[in-house]
Structure formats: structure tokens, C-alpha cells
Amino acid sequence: MKSTATAPASIAFIKYWGKKDEKLRLPETSSISINLDKCLTHTTVEFSPNYKQDTFEILGNQTTEEEKERVYKHLNRIRALKRSSFYAKVVSQNTFPKGSGIASSGSGFAALTVAASSSLGLKLSEKELSILARLGSGSACRSVPGGFVQWKEGNTSNESYAYSMYPPGYWEIVDILAIVSDKVKKTSSTIGHALATKTSIFHKPRVEEVRKLISHIKTAIRNKDLTLAGEILEKDCIYMHSVMMTSKPALFYWSGKTMDVIHKVHALRANKIPAFFTIDAGPNVHIITEAKYTSQVVSELKKIPGIKDIIINKTCRGAYLTNKHLF
Ligand code: PMV
């Protein structure tokens, strides 16, 4: 059967960086994120006795052998659950640039997990889908539930999954994504996670700090307190990038343009507009603010030379099945 799923990328307020179990992708800490309604991956999967091998294609993009292998490994996990020997055809499409620090592997593996398990007729709960997605790409587990999401770190595979703390409409915040580069990042996050735990002197202190920040940001989200949430999410972004920059080899994901956007965010705040930045494993900057400030933030961003695109995201539902098949 052919199945198609759509899944959103997420932006973390408290980041996932470093694993306590590489193979099971168990994170060192819990993380907190929102799903992004304009950064989606659509994936169609068909398992069939007619296919002689697995195939994977991303429409409009090149796929590397490494990416293909990672997808086929994930298909093996899902096939094993059904004891199926059928090969699959997988076709994906992203609504945003791949590999530029917007978690395309997160939305990608969430969509793949939901579409592939449906194609094989597996009936999995949201928790089971989140666990399965995590094995493909850690942050993918957060793209399965909707809205404001917590990934509980857990100590075993069955304990490490994401759930929705609040539905998408709970708090009218937006993520204004300033794209300063759409080039694929040089060091993948899989390599970065391992470097963090093994080489950065700031990794351990950050892990200890994150345990406190998690409970503070949950309070801020519950109370819809943007000033508090913003302060915490910026702090953890800087902590995570300090870990990256002090890894060996050092990972510098920011560019000069990234700094230009950060300075603009500071200027906005000086003008009483509550806007806060966070950045994943790439140079692009996510600005978190309340929906009512969107036009002011966007018009200020447009004044920065070299911004390639601005994507305005609201929080949205998690991964879901649709009948808009890609083949
Ligand atoms: O799921 P991965 O291995 O691509 O890791 C993503 C990590 C960050 O995007 C940098 C942070 C996060 O929590 O999303």
C-alpha cells in the first residue's frame, strides 16, 4: 500500500546536543521545541513485492549515498516490526532548504516513520512512532506530536520519546526564520553530537545547567511569559554553540550574517519589541516573538543586506497521514 505523511521541522528552545547512547540516540538531556508550520517534509512510501531494491529520492535535491543508507536502515527497522521482506520506494519533498541548520532530518525521519509504518499496515501509537522516529534521527521524535513538545531524555529506548505539552494554538508565538544561507552545512549534527560529549570542556556544565533550564522554560511556556522564555532560549542557544565552538575540531556554524541578525534582535529589544534568537546547527537565525510583532520584526529584518528569505512559522500539529501522494 502507498502511504504519504507530512511532518514539520521543529525549533528547540532547549536544545538536544550530545547523546548518552549513540546507537539508540538517547540524548544527554531532555529538550523542548515547537513545530514549524511552514517547514514541512512530505514523504510517500510504498512497500511492494514488485520492487527489487529500496530507492530514495528527494524531489529537487541530490541525495548522498550516506543519506540513502540511513533511510534504508530505518526501513529495515520498520520492516522488522512487521516481519516483511518487501522493498520500498521512498520519495520526499521539503518546503525549505535541506541541510542548512533547519532540522530537515527531524521532519524527514518523522514523515518517513509515519508513512512507512502505515504502508506496512502497522498500527503504532504516537509514543511508539516517536520512539521509532528517534532511532532514525534524534530530533525527529519531537516532530511526531504537535504544538509545544517535550522530548523526555529517558534511560532506555522505551522511555525516550516526545509528547505534546500544549496544542499549537495554546500560545500565539511565531518563529521568524531569517535564511542567510541555503548551502548544506559542512559538519552533520550526528558528528557534532559525538564531538560534544568527547571533546568540549563546556559540555558537562551545559548538561547540568540544562536540567534547570528545562523546568524554568516549562514555567515560562505555561504562563505564556515571552520575556522569561526568550531569555532562557537565547541562553541555551549560546551555551550549545559554545559547546560546538569548543569541540575538537571546533564547529563554527555562524556566519557574519548570523551576527548581523543577532545585532538586529538586540536593536529590536532596545526598541521594546520582545524578540529573541535561537540557532541550530547552521547559520540561519530563528527569531521567536509573539504573533502581533511579526510585521515589525520582518520589516526590520528586510533592512539587513544579504537575507535570502524570511519564513514565518506558527506552531502546528505533528506528523500526519495525507492522501497527497508524491508518485
Ligand atoms: O536530530 P539531529 O541529530 O539532527 O540533531 C539536531 C540538533 C539541533 O538541531 C542542533 C538542536 C535541536 O534540539 O534541534
Side-chain angles (χ1 to χ4, degrees):
M1 190 177 88
K2 201 184 280 185
S3 293
T4 299
T6 295
S10 68
I11 182 69
F13 292 177
I14 302 295
K15 311 281 191 191
Y16 148 58
W17 199 247
K19 296 174 212 170
K20 56 188 167 208
D21 187 315
E22 297 260 338
K23 225 169 132 218
L24 291 175
R25 295 183 197 274
L26 295 182
E28 289 235 25
T29 67
S30 297
S31 54
I32 306 260
S33 61
I34 54 169
N35 287 321
L36 307 176
D37 74 333
K38 294 290 182 314
C39 295
L40 305 172
T41 300
H42 308 291
T43 298
T44 300
V45 179
E46 183 177 44
F47 284 93
S48 160
N50 300 330
Y51 296 130
K52 301 283 170 265
Q53 58 179 26
D54 290 325
T55 57
F56 171 53
E57 143 184 40
I58 304 177
L59 299 178
N61 266 295
Q62 298 281 1
T63 46
T64 63
E65 282 311 308
E66 215 180 319
E67 284 168 335
K68 285 184 187 164
E69 280 314 309
R70 203 163 154 191
V71 166
Y72 303 156
K73 216 168 148 186
H74 202 55
L75 293 174
N76 287 340
R77 288 184 188 109
I78 297 167
R79 264 190 288 260
L81 291 176
K82 187 72 183 179
R83 297 200 176 87
S84 166
S85 55
F86 292 170
Y87 287 111
K89 174 174 175 171
V90 180
V91 177
S92 269
Q93 191 169 36
N94 291 321
T95 63
F96 60 98
K98 159 181 166 249
S100 52
I102 305 157
S104 59
S105 65
S107 54
F109 277 93
L112 177 66
T113 303
V114 172
S117 50
S118 157
S119 172
L120 279 180
L122 286 162
K123 299 258 177 294
L124 301 179
S125 65
E126 182 183 275
K127 176 179 163 183
E128 288 166 326
L129 288 166
S130 178
I131 291 169
L132 195 49
R134 190 202 77 232
L135 294 167
S137 170
S139 59
C141 74
R142 297 192 313 237
S143 295
V144 174
F148 296 77
V149 171
Q150 177 173 15
W151 172 8
K152 299 198 300 180
E153 56 178 286
N155 285 315
T156 62
S157 192
N158 276 342
E159 286 169 7
S160 188
Y161 61 92
Y163 72 99
S164 176
M165 297 186 297
Y166 300 102
Y170 176 73
W171 185 14
E172 297 278 303
I173 54 171
V174 287
D175 166 76
I176 302 173
L177 171 54
I179 309 258
V180 300
S181 166
D182 54 9
K183 300 242 159 42
V184 173
K185 64 194 170 204
K186 284 197 209 87
T187 309
S188 72
S189 40
T190 302
I191 294 171
H193 286 288
L195 291 179
T197 47
K198 291 187 186 113
T199 65
S200 170
I201 56 158
F202 290 153
H203 175 67
K204 252 198 169 148
R206 174 179 174 261
V207 165
E208 278 159 29
E209 190 61 20
V210 161
R211 301 203 190 285
K212 297 178 207 147
L213 295 184
I214 290 268
S215 80
H216 295 162
I217 203 143
K218 283 171 85 168
T219 307
I221 295 172
R222 187 177 64 235
N223 297 336
K224 303 177 190 173
D225 181 341
L226 182 59
T227 311
L228 181 61
E231 191 188 304
I232 297 168
L233 69 89
E234 265 191 16
K235 201 189 265 186
D236 187 48
C237 164
I238 297 167
Y239 288 166
M240 180 184 75
H241 282 272
S242 304
V243 170
M244 291 164 160
M245 290 176 197
T246 51
S247 292
K248 196 176 170 202
L251 303 178
F252 287 88
Y253 286 111
W254 298 4
S255 70
K257 290 274 157 238
T258 309
M259 277 315 301
D260 292 347
V261 180
I262 291 175
H263 289 144
K264 182 62 84 182
V265 170
H266 289 159
L268 282 162
R269 284 219 292 277
N271 280 321
K272 306 258 178 303
I273 297 174
F276 300 88
F277 69 84
T278 186
I279 303 157
D280 278 346
N284 299 315
V285 186
H286 296 254
I287 297 160
I288 309 297
T289 188
E290 273 170 353
K292 59 186 174 204
Y293 301 109
T294 304
S295 58
Q296 280 160 291
V297 173
V298 169
S299 77
E300 283 303 311
L301 285 176
K302 282 187 175 158
K303 292 181 190 160
I304 306 174
I307 301 276
K308 291 191 185 309
D309 200 2
I310 296 171
I311 303 175
I312 302 163
N313 290 292
K314 291 189 184 142
T315 57
C316 67
R317 66 197 285 202
Y320 59 94
L321 289 166
T322 99
N323 52 15
K324 292 186 192 141
H325 302 311
L326 295 174
F327 63 90

